[in-house]
Amino acid sequence: MADASQAATLDLPTVQRFAEVALAALAAAREEIDALNVYPVPDGDTGTNLFLTFESARDGLLTAEPAGDLRAALAGFARGALLGARGNSGVIFSQLVGALCKRLSEAGPDDRSATVFAEGLVRASDAGYAAVGTPVEGTILTVARAAAEAATVAAQVERHRLGHIVRAAAAGAREALAHTPEQLKVLRDAGVVDAGGRGLCVVLDAAETAVTGKRPVSATTPFGTHAIPVPLPTGDLQEGGPSYEVMFLLDADDAAIPVLRAGLAGLGDSLVVVGGDGLWNVHVHVDDVGAAVEAGIVAGRPHRIRVTHFAEQVGARAHRPGGVERRGRKVVVVAAGDGLGRLFAEAGAAVVPGGPGRRPSTGQILEAIGGCGGAEVVLLPNDRDSVPASEAAAQTARDELDVRVAVIPTNAQVQGLAALAVHEPGRTFEQDVLEMTAAARHARSGAVTVAVRRAMTSAGPCEPGDVLGAIEGDFAVVGSDLLDVATDVLERLLGGGGELVTLVAGADGAELAERCATYLTATRPTVDVVVYDGGQDRYPLLVGVE
């Protein structure tokens, strides 16, 4: 592979690739970053907040109009980050993103050079410091500034090699992160690096991977003892400090913001106000929630108001007057087709539409958890790529809704069907989750699809129109006939034994499913066969063997 660091400009495919790589990296690092979170409030949610903020930015990128336009995509990415920003670090991160995207958008189509990227990081760092009421070193701000400085130095030498600039920025950020305990006593006492800074490093490492095609070696290992999860303090989470976190979006003239900042600064700390052009995201820690909201009303129109009581963060929202009364145990599933959705719903589950090309966001899954009314919820993602979003939604539901949530990491629709089949609300929550998890793990999965482009698979090269057979998520068969590939997949799955075969027909797969059922009746008469109309796209047949 050629060294992509030779690239001189930043194009839309690279930005899109970065968004997906970074989101996956934040999902993988979410729990680690949560455990590092001891400043400004040790509430263990920085990793989750950064993931949710970035997911909103990614969604804004994907839905930007007109499609295919880099400037529109950058604007959508920045707006998505602003609208979805959560927590102190998430709000600051959205400001960094907004400033960087604005600088990149100002460049002409032939001027998106490495130098422009470095200038964008400088603008981002300056904007981050300007957005915070009282900047503190040893935080995400310090890491952002170090990245900008390293990129600026590199740009003076390698003006036309974007990969070198991104690599220098990521390395500078990692070095600064390692020194954050020297700058902030609370980090040094806990033996951790700054959680927000760690999250920014994850994002910059992802940028390096997206631009150069290489994963930073140092990014794959923890920062010594600093990345070891530490127990979070109990009791008063903010002794001597404000009791509430208040966040809201604000529609207001830019001229009203200085007065708003001054008013909020007198009410508490951790003040961050980001945005522009009439839309702002406000974050502050206060004791007087009403006064903070009133300040927003004076400045403009506050909406999407969120209030968190630090000492009662777990369950705070569920216990407020007018909160949803939650009872019993519910199951929430991600279904890849209308037929599958009906199957899950008939079994009593709350259904989130999903599947290839329309995988649900964390917000959609969280909405389903909140709307199902259960005090206990078992969540079945039914897709490998939906597991991180499900885990983030589960953590948010635990923190904000006082819902007990367990995620069973089902990687296939048939595993979800197997898990739901043994669901028993009369058991204890732990026992029910255990039985459902065991059922899912014992269900071997397969699928049949048709290639839409030339590619190299685990089973060898394929051309458009070739039939592909997958086993446990990996392509194992390449052929030309749907039935031949489907029966090959069945035989491989049954090679390890099996008593029940579940066939789920896709939108155009009813005939294929029936022919496979006939094949099994003739060749394996002792095996029970069940056929369902799943209605899923792209996969004429899904297979489960138990």
Side-chain angles (χ1 to χ4, degrees), residues 396-415:
T396 304
R398 296 183 194 109
D399 291 342
E400 299 182 358
L401 305 179
D402 197 26
V403 179
R404 191 178 187 188
V405 187
V407 179
I408 298 176
T410 47
N411 293 325
Q413 297 290 314
V414 292
Q415 289 183 337

Side-chain angles (χ1 to χ4, degrees), residues 12-51:
L12 181 57
T14 301
V15 174
Q16 293 171 330
R17 182 166 62 250
F18 155 70
E20 297 301 333
V21 172
L23 187 63
L26 282 172
R30 181 181 60 81
E31 291 185 358
E32 174 207 340
I33 298 171
D34 280 346
L36 295 173
N37 178 199
V38 297
Y39 179 84
V41 178
D43 46 0
D45 62 359
T46 294
T48 299
N49 286 338
L50 284 172
F51 174 85

Side-chain angles (χ1 to χ4, degrees), residues 352-509:
V352 181
R358 57 169 186 170
R359 291 188 175 93
S361 67
T362 301
Q364 290 173 304
I365 298 173
L366 179 61
E367 183 179 357
I369 295 173
C372 73
E376 300 173 336
V377 175
V378 180
L379 181 53
L380 305 174
N382 296 343
D383 174 66
R384 185 174 297 160
D385 292 333
S386 293
V387 172
S390 297
E391 291 176 340
Q395 184 60 53
T396 304
R398 296 183 194 109
D399 291 342
E400 299 182 358
L401 305 179
D402 197 26
V403 179
R404 191 178 187 188
V405 187
V407 179
I408 298 176
T410 47
N411 293 325
Q413 297 290 314
V414 292
Q415 289 183 337
L417 289 171
L420 191 56
V422 301
H423 167 55
E424 177 51 65
R427 290 191 289 244
T428 65
F429 185 69
E430 294 83 359
Q431 188 63 32
D432 199 27
V433 171
L434 181 64
E435 295 293 339
M436 294 176 71
T437 300
R441 288 178 176 173
H442 291 149
R444 299 189 296 280
S445 64
V448 176
T449 187
V450 178
V452 296
R453 62 180 182 273
R454 177 181 298 177
M456 176 60 68
T457 74
S458 302
C462 70
E463 298 290 335
D466 283 348
V467 181
L468 306 177
I471 295 177
E472 302 294 354
D474 291 325
F475 290 117
V477 185
V478 177
S480 58
D481 182 80
L482 281 169
L483 183 62
D484 288 345
V485 171
T487 54
D488 193 344
V489 169
L490 286 167
E491 290 298 334
R492 292 179 187 228
L493 288 172
L494 287 166
E499 300 175 354
L500 172 65
V501 173
T502 301
L503 303 174
V504 182
D508 300 314

Side-chain angles (χ1 to χ4, degrees), residues 251-393:
D251 297 330
D253 293 336
D254 295 5
I257 301 306
V259 175
L260 173 68
R261 289 182 192 272
L264 291 176
L267 295 176
D269 59 27
S270 296
L271 172 62
V272 187
V273 181
V274 302
D277 298 326
L279 178 62
W280 303 84
N281 195 315
V282 180
H283 171 281
V284 66
H285 294 174
V286 297
D287 284 320
D288 190 341
V289 174
V293 176
E294 281 293 331
I297 294 174
V298 171
R301 186 182 72 88
H303 52 104
R304 206 185 296 180
I305 300 170
R306 291 168 42 85
V307 178
T308 301
H309 191 296
F310 293 123
E312 300 175 0
Q313 188 167 25
V314 177
R317 183 176 296 178
H319 294 297
R320 291 177 195 150
V324 176
E325 182 179 1
R326 303 188 179 280
R327 296 180 179 178
R329 186 177 311 148
K330 304 293 184 180
V331 179
V332 174
V333 304
V334 178
D338 293 340
L340 282 162
R342 287 191 295 272
L343 286 174
F344 287 124
E346 289 169 0
V351 176
V352 181
R358 57 169 186 170
R359 291 188 175 93
S361 67
T362 301
Q364 290 173 304
I365 298 173
L366 179 61
E367 183 179 357
I369 295 173
C372 73
E376 300 173 336
V377 175
V378 180
L379 181 53
L380 305 174
N382 296 343
D383 174 66
R384 185 174 297 160
D385 292 333
S386 293
V387 172
S390 297
E391 291 176 340

